[in-house]
């Protein structure tokens, strides 16, 4: 396996640091910490350059907060300077790992994403259905994935590709920054890349060693289609054993095998049948609640349509890839955006 050396100078290049800053601020340029960084841009970029060049960079303190949608998760946020450094690193090392990833891993990748994963899953399911008539699905989910990644195993996997000591030193500092021997913070750009690097071994084991044809993974969730339920049971045992032995991970209790007929494949926010796709019911209920809240805030003059419109368009962009015409009509039809302008100002 080819290893890559002499990477650190590219990470430290001023053009790379400036490009990293532009990527880190994307969609966040009016946040307080980004505005403060941008106000003294040259000074901050030179400071990052010096810290990286002289290898004095140390990760900053994490700010933790909890999100509850679509499920409860603890998010870790770093200062903006650290986010720029993570982009500096990923700009250089991500293409190295990306070149060896399988096609059917879709999380946090160029050309990937939820929609690409849904379309590929639908194509595989329809192909299996035409081929066999009866299709079973193995739907797997790694238990507490981000919290379970073993640091030493991750470092060992990374060293199969990267042999630049200075780059490895920076990577190790970032991996170890939360403290403890296991776990990656949800929210780091590097965590997204390292999460794919860690499970890439499983992807190649399933596709290369086990010769599985209909396999799609999105971060810690995956689906496999086959006509033989007993075959999938054996495959489940093999995958579970491999995860435990090699990556120190376990599958959670939601992992199951079921026939795809009346029951759909619930994956990436959609319920997928061979003939059509529908949105997950929880997604529709959550969206309906959110839009009704927007309607109340708009009526009270506490939100503008410029603030509301991006959320509506984003949801419509997601919904249109399923058979959702009626659902879209119901959700949007239940929300009326009206304002009593005698109580508020002019909308923007």
């Amino acid at each position: 396996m080819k290893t890559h050396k002499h990477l650190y100078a590219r990470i430290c290049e001023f053009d790379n640091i400036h490009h990293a800053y532009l990527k880190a601020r994307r969609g966040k340029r009016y946040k307080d910490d980004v505005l403060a960084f941008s106000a003294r841009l040259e000074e901050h970029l030179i400071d990052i350059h010096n810290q990286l060049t002289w290898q004095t960079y140390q990760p900053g303190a994490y700010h933790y907060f909890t999100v509850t949608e679509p499920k409860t998760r603890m998010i870790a946020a770093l200062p903006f300077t650290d986010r720029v450094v993570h982009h500096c690193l990923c700009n250089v090392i991500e293409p190295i790992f990306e070149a060896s990833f399988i096609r059917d891993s879709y999380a946090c990748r160029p050309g990937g994403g939820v929609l690409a994963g849904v379309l590929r899953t639908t194509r595989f399911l329809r192909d299996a259905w035409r081929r066999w008539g009866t299709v079973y699905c193995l739907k797997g989910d790694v238990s507490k994935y981000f919290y379970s990644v073993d640091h030493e195993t991750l470092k060992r996997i990374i060293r199969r590709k990267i042999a630049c000591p200075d780059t490895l030193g920076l990577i190790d500092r970032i991996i170890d920054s939360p403290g403890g021997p296991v776990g990656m913070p949800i929210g780091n750009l590097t965590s997204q890349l390292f999460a794919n690097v860690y499970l890439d071994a499983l992807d190649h084991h399933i596709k290369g060693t086990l010769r599985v044809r209909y396999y799609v993974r999105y971060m810690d969730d995956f689906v496999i289609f086959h006509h033989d339920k007993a075959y999938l049971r054996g495959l489940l045992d093999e995958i579970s054993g491999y995860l435990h032995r090699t990556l120190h991970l376990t599958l959670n209790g939601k992992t199951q095998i079921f026939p795809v007929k009346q029951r759909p494949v619930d994956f990436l926010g959609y319920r997928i049948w061979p003939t059509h796709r529908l949105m997950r019911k929880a997604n529709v209920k959550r969206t309906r609640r959110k839009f009704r809240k927007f309607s109340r805030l708009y009526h009270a003059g506490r939100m503008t349509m410029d603030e509301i419109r991006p959320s509506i368009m984003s949801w419509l962009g997601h919904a249109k890839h399923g058979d959702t015409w009626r659902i879209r009509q119901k959700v949007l039809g239940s929300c009326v955006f009206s304002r009593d302008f005698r109580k508020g100002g002019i909308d923007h």
Side-chain angles (χ1 to χ4, degrees):
M1 182 178 293
K2 180 181 178 181
T3 57
H4 296 259
K5 304 177 181 179
H6 313 299
L7 301 174
Y8 198 70
R10 291 167 53 194
I11 295 172
C12 298
E13 287 177 358
F14 196 83
D15 284 348
N16 182 51
I17 298 172
H18 183 255
H19 183 50
Y21 155 74
L22 295 176
K23 292 174 73 174
R25 80 169 189 180
R26 191 175 298 159
K28 302 179 179 66
R29 61 190 306 171
Y30 299 114
K31 299 280 188 179
D32 289 344
D33 56 345
V34 181
L35 288 171
F37 188 98
S38 301
R40 298 162 57 191
L41 179 60
E42 186 175 0
E43 178 184 338
H44 284 119
L45 295 183
I46 291 173
D47 183 51
I48 291 174
H49 178 266
N50 289 337
Q51 288 187 53
L52 290 176
T53 300
W54 299 106
Q55 299 185 48
T56 60
Y57 166 76
Q58 293 295 330
Y62 285 93
H63 166 63
Y64 294 92
F65 60 95
T66 302
V67 298
T68 57
E69 298 289 354
K71 60 183 179 181
T72 301
R73 293 181 298 173
M74 180 71 73
I75 305 298
L78 279 168
F80 185 71
T81 296
D82 296 270
R83 301 202 295 271
V84 174
V85 171
H86 285 211
H87 276 282
C88 289
L89 175 64
C90 289
N91 286 346
V92 174
I93 69 170
E94 183 176 16
I96 295 171
F97 292 104
E98 179 66 32
S100 67
F101 290 161
I102 67 167
R103 174 183 178 182
D104 293 314
S105 164
Y106 287 94
C108 308
R109 294 184 59 192
V114 169
L115 175 58
V118 168
L119 294 178
R120 186 68 162 173
T121 302
T122 303
R123 178 181 172 183
F124 277 174
L125 178 55
R126 288 175 178 172
D127 191 24
W129 190 268
R130 286 192 296 265
R131 184 178 179 187
W132 293 313
T134 298
V135 179
Y136 289 90
C137 175
L138 164 56
K139 187 172 184 294
D141 185 356
V142 178
S143 178
K144 299 179 181 178
Y145 176 47
F146 276 83
Y147 305 111
S148 304
V149 170
D150 180 74
H151 291 185
E152 292 306 314
T153 302
L154 175 59
K155 292 174 185 177
R156 188 163 58 249
I157 292 172
I158 289 171
R159 280 160 171 76
R160 296 173 187 169
K161 290 281 187 181
I162 296 177
C164 172
D166 294 340
T167 302
L168 289 172
L170 176 60
I171 291 172
D172 289 352
R173 286 196 296 277
I174 291 173
I175 292 174
D176 293 333
S177 61
V182 297
M184 294 189 302
I186 299 174
N188 278 0
L189 176 71
T190 50
S191 294
Q192 297 173 5
L193 173 60
F194 294 156
N196 275 330
V197 169
Y198 201 75
L199 282 182
D200 183 54
L202 174 67
D203 293 339
H204 284 280
H205 182 67
I206 290 175
K207 296 292 289 185
T209 304
L210 302 179
R211 311 297 292 176
V212 174
R213 181 173 184 177
Y214 300 122
Y215 166 75
V216 178
R217 180 176 66 82
Y218 192 96
M219 200 51 74
D220 56 337
D221 294 325
F222 64 87
V223 293
I224 297 173
F225 301 121
H226 201 271
H227 69 95
D228 188 341
K229 189 174 183 179
Y231 168 81
L232 288 178
R233 285 186 183 133
L235 204 60
L236 175 57
D237 290 340
E238 173 61 33
I239 292 171
S240 181
Y242 181 86
L243 284 171
H244 180 71
R245 292 190 309 271
T246 308
L247 301 176
H248 311 293
L249 299 173
T250 59
L251 295 173
N252 69 22
K254 293 188 292 185
T255 299
Q256 55 192 302
I257 299 170
F258 58 89
V260 182
K261 194 172 182 181
Q262 287 81 18
R263 179 177 174 180
V265 179
D266 191 342
F267 192 52
L268 301 181
Y270 289 89
R271 292 174 291 150
I272 306 171
W273 288 265
T275 53
H276 63 288
R277 290 189 297 266
L278 296 177
M279 296 189 71
R280 187 178 287 162
K281 291 181 180 180
N283 178 295
V284 176
K285 290 180 180 178
R286 186 166 59 246
T287 301
R288 189 172 277 172
R289 286 197 303 269
K290 182 169 71 172
F291 287 177
R292 286 173 178 168
K293 178 181 178 182
F294 286 171
S295 178
R296 293 193 300 272
L297 293 174
Y298 179 78
H299 184 75
R302 295 165 57 191
M303 287 190 79
T304 67
M305 284 308 300
D306 284 345
E307 295 172 310
I308 295 170
R309 192 175 293 110
S311 292
I312 295 177
M313 298 307 296
S314 175
W315 181 77
L316 287 174
H318 176 69
K320 72 179 183 180
H321 297 290
D323 300 278
T324 59
W325 187 88
R326 293 180 185 276
I327 292 295
R328 282 178 276 164
Q329 295 297 312
K330 287 182 179 180
V331 170
L332 295 180
S334 66
C335 301
V336 178
F337 294 95
S338 64
R339 175 173 293 178
D340 185 351
F341 288 99
R342 293 172 298 180
K343 298 181 180 179
I346 297 174
D347 189 25
H348 298 285

